[in-house]
Amino acid sequence: MSKTVQLIIDENTYDLPVVEGSENEKAIDISKLRAQTGYVTLDTGYKNTGATTSGITFLDGEKGILRYRGYPIEQLAEKADFLEVCFLLIYGELPSKTEFDLFKDNITKHTLVHEDMRTFLEAYPTKAHPMGILSASLCTLSTFYPESHDANRSKEAVDLTIFRLLAKLPTLAAWAYQNAVGHPVMYPKNKYNYCENFLQMMFAMPAFEYETDPVIVNALNKLLILHADHEQNCSASTVRIVGSSQANLYASISAGVSALWGPLHGGANQAVIEMLETIMNDGGGLKRWIDKAKDKNDSFRLMGFGHRVYKNFDPRAKIIKKAADDVLEKLGIVDPVLDIAKELEEVALNDDYFKSRGLYPNVDFYSGIIYRALGIPTEMFTVMFAMGRLPGWIAQWKEMMEDNQPIGRPRQIYTGHNERDYQNIDKR
Ligand code: ACO
């Protein structure tokens, strides 16, 4: 017999079903609660609400575990290719050699972006943030592929949209950057792999080829894998909720990019470097900034510290910290901002305020440091995150569609005025 829990409201007792996950996670199924009792649950910020069952990513915030489709993040970051991880997340299993070759081929084939998209790009102000351009461009792509709007799309049609998204996002991202710095856009080249291609579109010029450095390519591959999925976070939930209205995949991913942009989510990697620069320009005295972060009357927070689910350590941060050290050493980078980062990490890790609240450096504390060392401009950091997260968003959307989930529509507890009569104002 399946397990239930009892809820007692006044003199009535209700049996609510318990749902158990494959890693013994437990949830109380309240989907019929309102019909049975007239009550809804209230959980602002969804801190305790399971929005779905999912077979994509498992994470245990207390133990610092992260697995994609059962594979530990440590093994994937060490050994896998980013496109292999994309296949794994989206289709559920690692690809065979034949499947992988075909997948890579399909993505290589679609890296070019319609030339008309350049007209849109050229219209943006030069100081336009690349996340704004990326979100708008992804939604604009849907207008080039109207067949993707059909809610009854075939598996082949969905796959084609998936290939197009994975293929074109790096091209659009690099173009957004070139546009911001006033350089001519560079086109994708089939001879390069996914990471090399992005780097050459970012850094090559018509006058010279970009020489790919294996240290940089390897670090980028690792970073994209570490960011590839993180279950029901703010942007993945946004993609699911937009997709649940049957909006097309381009529009759903574009919404995910917008959700990621915020400094409390993916925008934190940009905010970390900006914070470190501010501290450096302020003279580097850390105490004042630590005190500000602890002061309840001050809105300042240490960017790159804390996480909604990881309260002991972020397993991605562990891997990325090591990668950051390797990159800095191999590229021989000396940077005062990075010295402040190390000092800040040391001070905060030994401070009771941060220790007692489980506030540790998260993945974004170190990713910003690597991107800076790789020569990627600060405003592009969150775009890099979006490139990594794309397969996760696609996998979340695909799972929701295949499960035929209903439209997302939370309830509320209304706390506004009771009914009152309209009063005419003198509009003369
Ligand atoms: N600096 C100072 N204090 C902090 C910080 C921080 N970075 N983060 C949390 N706190 C404090 C809060 O003030 C609160 O203190 P209190 O209990 O005395 O009131 C306590 O720690 C708990 O914080 P919450 O805001 O309740 O934690 P929540 O889980 O809602 O927020 C979040 C998590 C948004 C990540 C938060 O830690 C934060 O703002 N961090 C900085 C931004 C950041 O790095 N975001 C990236 C997250 S990783 C990612 O999205 C990939």
Side-chain angles (χ1 to χ4, degrees):
M1 217 179 98
S2 49
K3 203 170 161 182
T4 56
V5 293
Q6 291 192 326
L7 174 69
I8 302 168
I9 304 176
D10 301 327
E11 60 282 355
N12 298 319
T13 302
Y14 303 92
D15 286 325
L16 300 173
V18 167
V19 180
E20 285 194 34
S22 50
E23 292 285 345
N24 300 320
E25 289 182 299
K26 293 179 186 60
I28 300 164
D29 180 350
I30 51 115
S31 51
K32 301 208 167 57
L33 186 69
R34 188 167 176 276
Q36 285 174 343
T37 67
Y39 281 69
V40 297
T41 54
L42 181 63
D43 182 19
T44 313
Y46 310 121
K47 292 193 178 197
N48 269 302
T49 295
T52 184
T53 55
S54 176
I56 302 169
T57 289
F58 171 70
L59 75 82
D60 181 327
E62 280 71 38
K63 295 191 186 131
I65 295 173
L66 175 61
R67 296 183 203 133
Y68 299 160
R69 304 277 188 192
Y71 295 101
I73 191 66
E74 292 78 7
Q75 293 180 19
L76 294 171
E78 177 67 29
K79 298 177 189 157
D81 181 281
F82 174 62
L83 285 187
E84 216 181 336
V85 172
C86 292
F87 190 99
L88 170 70
L89 285 167
I90 296 169
Y91 298 108
E93 294 294 340
L94 284 167
S96 66
K97 167 90 172 72
T98 318
E99 285 170 329
F100 191 40
D101 287 345
L102 186 61
F103 185 62
K104 281 194 292 190
D105 198 43
N106 274 318
I107 288 170
T108 310
K109 244 188 230 157
H110 289 285
T111 46
L112 262 185
V113 168
H114 198 292
E115 278 297 294
D116 288 352
M117 285 291 287
R118 288 185 54 187
T119 322
F120 293 101
L121 263 182
E122 281 157 18
Y124 288 108
T126 42
K127 294 242 175 315
H129 195 289
M131 281 298 274
I133 299 184
L134 186 66
S135 175
S137 303
L138 286 168
C139 207
T140 306
L141 272 188
S142 69
T143 65
F144 288 80
Y145 307 109
E147 67 285 358
S148 70
H149 305 185
D150 183 0
N152 299 313
R153 38 189 110 66
S154 64
K155 181 189 173 313
E156 289 69 29
V158 171
D159 281 346
L160 185 56
T161 303
I162 292 172
F163 302 146
R164 283 185 173 136
L165 274 164
L166 288 168
K168 294 182 200 308
L169 195 150
T171 312
L172 289 170
W175 282 13
Y177 166 65
Q178 301 288 21
N179 188 61
V181 291
H183 289 170
V185 299
M186 297 301 295
Y187 286 90
K189 291 202 170 98
N190 287 3
K191 67 176 178 176
Y192 292 120
N193 70 28
Y194 198 77
C195 291
E196 289 169 343
N197 204 15
F198 172 72
L199 290 166
Q200 76 86 22
M201 285 189 284
M202 281 283 289
F203 298 122
M205 283 291 197
F208 59 83
E209 289 267 319
Y210 173 75
E211 299 244 340
T212 51
D213 179 335
V215 175
I216 295 184
V217 174
N218 181 35
L220 180 57
N221 182 62
K222 222 183 261 291
L223 277 161
L224 296 181
I225 291 175
L226 291 177
H227 281 107
D229 193 50
H230 214 233
E231 50 115 302
Q232 308 311 314
N233 54 78
C234 175
S235 55
S237 304
T238 302
V239 170
R240 276 188 179 254
I241 212 151
V242 173
S244 77
S245 75
Q246 303 279 335
N248 65 76
L249 183 52
Y250 295 102
S252 308
I253 299 292
S254 156
V257 170
S258 298
L260 188 76
W261 192 358
L264 297 190
H265 190 16
N269 52 16
Q270 174 177 341
V272 168
I273 296 295
E274 286 168 354
M275 172 190 75
L276 294 171
E277 283 171 345
T278 307
I279 296 176
M280 185 180 73
N281 295 336
D282 187 51
L286 284 182
K287 185 170 178 315
R288 186 168 102 75
W289 295 93
I290 296 274
D291 289 346
K292 268 167 79 65
K294 295 196 284 196
D295 182 354
K296 289 283 153 250
N297 299 317
D298 192 321
S299 62
F300 175 75
R301 285 189 163 197
L302 278 195
M303 299 316 286
F305 278 77
H307 197 276
R308 170 59 62 82
V309 287
Y310 294 124
K311 299 299 177 192
N312 283 320
F313 68 93
D314 179 341
R316 302 165 302 171
K318 253 189 170 177
I319 302 169
I320 219 168
K321 179 176 162 44
K322 162 108 186 40
D325 288 343
D326 289 351
V327 166
L328 295 181
E329 194 192 314
K330 283 190 189 142
L331 299 183
I333 300 222
V334 182
D335 183 342
V337 165
L338 304 182
D339 294 339
I340 293 191
K342 283 196 176 143
E343 222 185 304
L344 184 63
E345 181 192 3
E346 180 73 22
V347 175
L349 285 176
N350 290 303
D351 187 297
D352 271 348
Y353 172 92
F354 293 93
K355 281 205 283 191
S356 63
R357 288 169 177 76
L359 300 171
Y360 297 89
N362 57 49
V363 66
D364 283 331
F365 186 73
Y366 302 107
S367 67
I369 291 174
I370 301 197
Y371 290 139
R372 186 177 163 95
L374 300 188
I376 300 203
T378 316
E379 287 214 325
M380 280 295 288
F381 290 3
T382 317
V383 171
M384 305 299 297
F385 190 157
M387 251 173 75
R389 185 53 56 87
L390 179 61
W393 289 329
I394 294 173
Q396 299 285 346
W397 177 90
K398 190 163 167 284
E399 181 178 70
M400 182 198 62
M401 300 306 278
E402 286 168 359
D403 286 353
N404 281 322
Q405 291 191 0
I407 186 167
R409 202 313 185 177
R411 294 269 175 180
Q412 65 165 16
I413 298 296
Y414 175 70
T415 56
H417 288 284
N418 295 114
E419 185 175 356
R420 49 184 173 160
D421 288 326
Y422 171 74
Q423 305 288 333
N424 257 330
I425 51 163
D426 187 355
K427 300 189 186 79
R428 278 170 304 157

